[in-house]
Amino acid sequence: MLKTVSGRQNDRGQSMASPAVPVCHFATKKAKAKGKGQIQTRVNLNAALVEDIISLEEVDEEMKSVMEVLKDNFNKTINIRTSPGSLDHITVVTADGKLALNQIGQISMKSPQLILVNMASFPECTAAAVEAIRESGMNLNPEVEGALIRVPIPRVTREHREMLVKLAKQNTNKAKDSLRKVRTNAMNKLKKSKDKVSEDTIRLIEKQISQMADDTVAELDRHLAVKTKELLG
């Protein structure tokens, strides 16, 4: 939470006018020790000082990015009904680097039970595309006919639903790994400033970063719970 203060006191307790500066509010140990429902004591940190050490807004954006990647993955690849759009962003390793399947193949729906991927424009990438589809984690078993890849759509069985839930959990765990990296990088950056500011200030910022990470983990788990319910029906 950011607020501003418009004045400060000198060493003798006299009031001095000063420009408004942003202030970050953090709970103290005493505040956390109090019972629920009680007013918490808070300490003020000059936001400008915090920004000189680390940008919490950037850390927050990185954590949000982890969440958005998971949500995008859930929406595009982990669905009961496989659609042509589900295959669009499967990554294919080619001689020119990693490319999305829809950049090198024409994807279409032949029937409710079959998706076709026409690789006529890049026939040399057919084998790599088949491997990418098979390894996508979508329980797909592509078949090749020349430059045409046939992708039968799995039947919606209980086993298929449970497989998708397992995949959703795996992707959530990967997201948590990415989140831990963001947190660790932020903490390491913070440690480099220990000779510039007080230990209390460092500890308070560490607590803030940890709380941001904990909140994001809770959000990841919430999305997994919603997706699991959707998949199991």
Side-chain angles (χ1 to χ4, degrees), residues 160-174:
H160 180 59
R161 290 174 182 271
E162 290 175 350
M163 183 279 300
L164 290 175
V165 169
K166 183 178 179 180
L167 181 60
K169 290 178 179 178
Q170 291 174 349
N171 288 342
T172 302
N173 287 334
K174 288 180 182 178

PDB file of all heavy atoms in Angstrom, residues 160-174:
ATOM      1  N   HIS A 160      -9.256 -39.880 -19.702  1.00  0.00           N
ATOM      2  CA  HIS A 160      -8.774 -38.683 -20.394  1.00  0.00           C
ATOM      3  C   HIS A 160      -8.910 -37.447 -19.505  1.00  0.00           C
ATOM      4  O   HIS A 160      -7.998 -36.610 -19.430  1.00  0.00           O
ATOM      5  CB  HIS A 160      -9.580 -38.480 -21.688  1.00  0.00           C
ATOM      6  CG  HIS A 160      -9.176 -37.272 -22.473  1.00  0.00           C
ATOM      7  ND1 HIS A 160      -7.899 -37.084 -22.958  1.00  0.00           N
ATOM      8  CD2 HIS A 160      -9.900 -36.170 -22.852  1.00  0.00           C
ATOM      9  CE1 HIS A 160      -7.836 -35.933 -23.614  1.00  0.00           C
ATOM     10  NE2 HIS A 160      -9.036 -35.357 -23.552  1.00  0.00           N
ATOM     11  N   ARG A 161     -10.026 -37.336 -18.811  1.00  0.00           N
ATOM     12  CA  ARG A 161     -10.237 -36.208 -17.907  1.00  0.00           C
ATOM     13  C   ARG A 161      -9.182 -36.198 -16.795  1.00  0.00           C
ATOM     14  O   ARG A 161      -8.613 -35.142 -16.460  1.00  0.00           O
ATOM     15  CB  ARG A 161     -11.636 -36.280 -17.284  1.00  0.00           C
ATOM     16  CG  ARG A 161     -12.782 -36.002 -18.256  1.00  0.00           C
ATOM     17  CD  ARG A 161     -14.123 -36.231 -17.594  1.00  0.00           C
ATOM     18  NE  ARG A 161     -15.241 -36.019 -18.497  1.00  0.00           N
ATOM     19  CZ  ARG A 161     -15.850 -34.861 -18.695  1.00  0.00           C
ATOM     20  NH1 ARG A 161     -15.445 -33.793 -18.027  1.00  0.00           N
ATOM     21  NH2 ARG A 161     -16.869 -34.753 -19.525  1.00  0.00           N
ATOM     22  N   GLU A 162      -8.915 -37.375 -16.225  1.00  0.00           N
ATOM     23  CA  GLU A 162      -7.937 -37.459 -15.141  1.00  0.00           C
ATOM     24  C   GLU A 162      -6.524 -37.158 -15.639  1.00  0.00           C
ATOM     25  O   GLU A 162      -5.709 -36.585 -14.915  1.00  0.00           O
ATOM     26  CB  GLU A 162      -7.996 -38.849 -14.507  1.00  0.00           C
ATOM     27  CG  GLU A 162      -9.285 -39.077 -13.723  1.00  0.00           C
ATOM     28  CD  GLU A 162      -9.419 -40.494 -13.191  1.00  0.00           C
ATOM     29  OE1 GLU A 162      -8.591 -41.358 -13.588  1.00  0.00           O
ATOM     30  OE2 GLU A 162     -10.345 -40.746 -12.388  1.00  0.00           O
ATOM     31  N   MET A 163      -6.246 -37.540 -16.900  1.00  0.00           N
ATOM     32  CA  MET A 163      -4.953 -37.232 -17.490  1.00  0.00           C
ATOM     33  C   MET A 163      -4.776 -35.724 -17.631  1.00  0.00           C
ATOM     34  O   MET A 163      -3.699 -35.167 -17.371  1.00  0.00           O
ATOM     35  CB  MET A 163      -4.836 -37.917 -18.858  1.00  0.00           C
ATOM     36  CG  MET A 163      -3.480 -37.732 -19.567  1.00  0.00           C
ATOM     37  SD  MET A 163      -3.313 -36.142 -20.426  1.00  0.00           S
ATOM     38  CE  MET A 163      -4.667 -36.244 -21.604  1.00  0.00           C
ATOM     39  N   LEU A 164      -5.843 -35.029 -18.021  1.00  0.00           N
ATOM     40  CA  LEU A 164      -5.789 -33.576 -18.170  1.00  0.00           C
ATOM     41  C   LEU A 164      -5.600 -32.895 -16.814  1.00  0.00           C
ATOM     42  O   LEU A 164      -4.877 -31.898 -16.706  1.00  0.00           O
ATOM     43  CB  LEU A 164      -7.068 -33.072 -18.841  1.00  0.00           C
ATOM     44  CG  LEU A 164      -7.236 -33.423 -20.321  1.00  0.00           C
ATOM     45  CD1 LEU A 164      -8.604 -32.960 -20.814  1.00  0.00           C
ATOM     46  CD2 LEU A 164      -6.134 -32.797 -21.166  1.00  0.00           C
ATOM     47  N   VAL A 165      -6.236 -33.432 -15.773  1.00  0.00           N
ATOM     48  CA  VAL A 165      -6.059 -32.884 -14.426  1.00  0.00           C
ATOM     49  C   VAL A 165      -4.605 -33.040 -13.993  1.00  0.00           C
ATOM     50  O   VAL A 165      -4.002 -32.120 -13.421  1.00  0.00           O
ATOM     51  CB  VAL A 165      -6.995 -33.585 -13.415  1.00  0.00           C
ATOM     52  CG1 VAL A 165      -6.625 -33.203 -11.989  1.00  0.00           C
ATOM     53  CG2 VAL A 165      -8.452 -33.221 -13.701  1.00  0.00           C
ATOM     54  N   LYS A 166      -4.040 -34.202 -14.277  1.00  0.00           N
ATOM     55  CA  LYS A 166      -2.633 -34.453 -13.944  1.00  0.00           C
ATOM     56  C   LYS A 166      -1.734 -33.461 -14.665  1.00  0.00           C
ATOM     57  O   LYS A 166      -0.781 -32.912 -14.086  1.00  0.00           O
ATOM     58  CB  LYS A 166      -2.252 -35.880 -14.326  1.00  0.00           C
ATOM     59  CG  LYS A 166      -0.829 -36.262 -13.961  1.00  0.00           C
ATOM     60  CD  LYS A 166      -0.538 -37.711 -14.336  1.00  0.00           C
ATOM     61  CE  LYS A 166       0.906 -38.079 -13.992  1.00  0.00           C
ATOM     62  NZ  LYS A 166       1.201 -39.494 -14.343  1.00  0.00           N
ATOM     63  N   LEU A 167      -2.049 -33.199 -15.942  1.00  0.00           N
ATOM     64  CA  LEU A 167      -1.270 -32.242 -16.732  1.00  0.00           C
ATOM     65  C   LEU A 167      -1.409 -30.828 -16.166  1.00  0.00           C
ATOM     66  O   LEU A 167      -0.433 -30.070 -16.101  1.00  0.00           O
ATOM     67  CB  LEU A 167      -1.747 -32.269 -18.186  1.00  0.00           C
ATOM     68  CG  LEU A 167      -1.011 -31.344 -19.166  1.00  0.00           C
ATOM     69  CD1 LEU A 167       0.467 -31.704 -19.231  1.00  0.00           C
ATOM     70  CD2 LEU A 167      -1.648 -31.440 -20.556  1.00  0.00           C
ATOM     71  N   ALA A 168      -2.630 -30.481 -15.730  1.00  0.00           N
ATOM     72  CA  ALA A 168      -2.861 -29.163 -15.142  1.00  0.00           C
ATOM     73  C   ALA A 168      -2.033 -28.992 -13.863  1.00  0.00           C
ATOM     74  O   ALA A 168      -1.456 -27.922 -13.615  1.00  0.00           O
ATOM     75  CB  ALA A 168      -4.348 -28.978 -14.838  1.00  0.00           C
ATOM     76  N   LYS A 169      -1.944 -30.044 -13.056  1.00  0.00           N
ATOM     77  CA  LYS A 169      -1.135 -29.991 -11.829  1.00  0.00           C
ATOM     78  C   LYS A 169       0.348 -29.834 -12.155  1.00  0.00           C
ATOM     79  O   LYS A 169       1.061 -29.065 -11.500  1.00  0.00           O
ATOM     80  CB  LYS A 169      -1.360 -31.256 -11.002  1.00  0.00           C
ATOM     81  CG  LYS A 169      -2.738 -31.345 -10.365  1.00  0.00           C
ATOM     82  CD  LYS A 169      -2.918 -32.652  -9.585  1.00  0.00           C
ATOM     83  CE  LYS A 169      -4.289 -32.717  -8.939  1.00  0.00           C
ATOM     84  NZ  LYS A 169      -4.492 -34.003  -8.217  1.00  0.00           N
ATOM     85  N   GLN A 170       0.806 -30.553 -13.186  1.00  0.00           N
ATOM     86  CA  GLN A 170       2.204 -30.447 -13.596  1.00  0.00           C
ATOM     87  C   GLN A 170       2.534 -29.025 -14.044  1.00  0.00           C
ATOM     88  O   GLN A 170       3.575 -28.468 -13.680  1.00  0.00           O
ATOM     89  CB  GLN A 170       2.499 -31.432 -14.729  1.00  0.00           C
ATOM     90  CG  GLN A 170       2.479 -32.898 -14.308  1.00  0.00           C
ATOM     91  CD  GLN A 170       2.639 -33.845 -15.487  1.00  0.00           C
ATOM     92  OE1 GLN A 170       2.562 -33.443 -16.650  1.00  0.00           O
ATOM     93  NE2 GLN A 170       2.849 -35.119 -15.193  1.00  0.00           N
ATOM     94  N   ASN A 171       1.640 -28.445 -14.815  1.00  0.00           N
ATOM     95  CA  ASN A 171       1.866 -27.078 -15.297  1.00  0.00           C
ATOM     96  C   ASN A 171       1.822 -26.066 -14.153  1.00  0.00           C
ATOM     97  O   ASN A 171       2.551 -25.077 -14.160  1.00  0.00           O
ATOM     98  CB  ASN A 171       0.833 -26.717 -16.363  1.00  0.00           C
ATOM     99  CG  ASN A 171       1.075 -27.452 -17.665  1.00  0.00           C
ATOM    100  OD1 ASN A 171       2.158 -27.976 -17.905  1.00  0.00           O
ATOM    101  ND2 ASN A 171       0.071 -27.511 -18.519  1.00  0.00           N
ATOM    102  N   THR A 172       0.960 -26.327 -13.170  1.00  0.00           N
ATOM    103  CA  THR A 172       0.898 -25.446 -11.998  1.00  0.00           C
ATOM    104  C   THR A 172       2.191 -25.534 -11.199  1.00  0.00           C
ATOM    105  O   THR A 172       2.713 -24.519 -10.724  1.00  0.00           O
ATOM    106  CB  THR A 172      -0.301 -25.811 -11.104  1.00  0.00           C
ATOM    107  OG1 THR A 172      -1.516 -25.716 -11.864  1.00  0.00           O
ATOM    108  CG2 THR A 172      -0.405 -24.859  -9.916  1.00  0.00           C
ATOM    109  N   ASN A 173       2.730 -26.734 -11.069  1.00  0.00           N
ATOM    110  CA  ASN A 173       4.001 -26.898 -10.355  1.00  0.00           C
ATOM    111  C   ASN A 173       5.141 -26.202 -11.092  1.00  0.00           C
ATOM    112  O   ASN A 173       6.040 -25.621 -10.470  1.00  0.00           O
ATOM    113  CB  ASN A 173       4.316 -28.384 -10.170  1.00  0.00           C
ATOM    114  CG  ASN A 173       3.423 -29.038  -9.127  1.00  0.00           C
ATOM    115  OD1 ASN A 173       2.923 -28.365  -8.219  1.00  0.00           O
ATOM    116  ND2 ASN A 173       3.220 -30.339  -9.244  1.00  0.00           N
ATOM    117  N   LYS A 174       5.109 -26.249 -12.424  1.00  0.00           N
ATOM    118  CA  LYS A 174       6.120 -25.535 -13.212  1.00  0.00           C
ATOM    119  C   LYS A 174       6.000 -24.031 -12.987  1.00  0.00           C
ATOM    120  O   LYS A 174       7.003 -23.323 -12.903  1.00  0.00           O
ATOM    121  CB  LYS A 174       5.954 -25.860 -14.697  1.00  0.00           C
ATOM    122  CG  LYS A 174       6.384 -27.270 -15.080  1.00  0.00           C
ATOM    123  CD  LYS A 174       6.186 -27.513 -16.566  1.00  0.00           C
ATOM    124  CE  LYS A 174       6.572 -28.932 -16.950  1.00  0.00           C
ATOM    125  NZ  LYS A 174       6.343 -29.201 -18.406  1.00  0.00           N
TER     126      LYS A 174
END
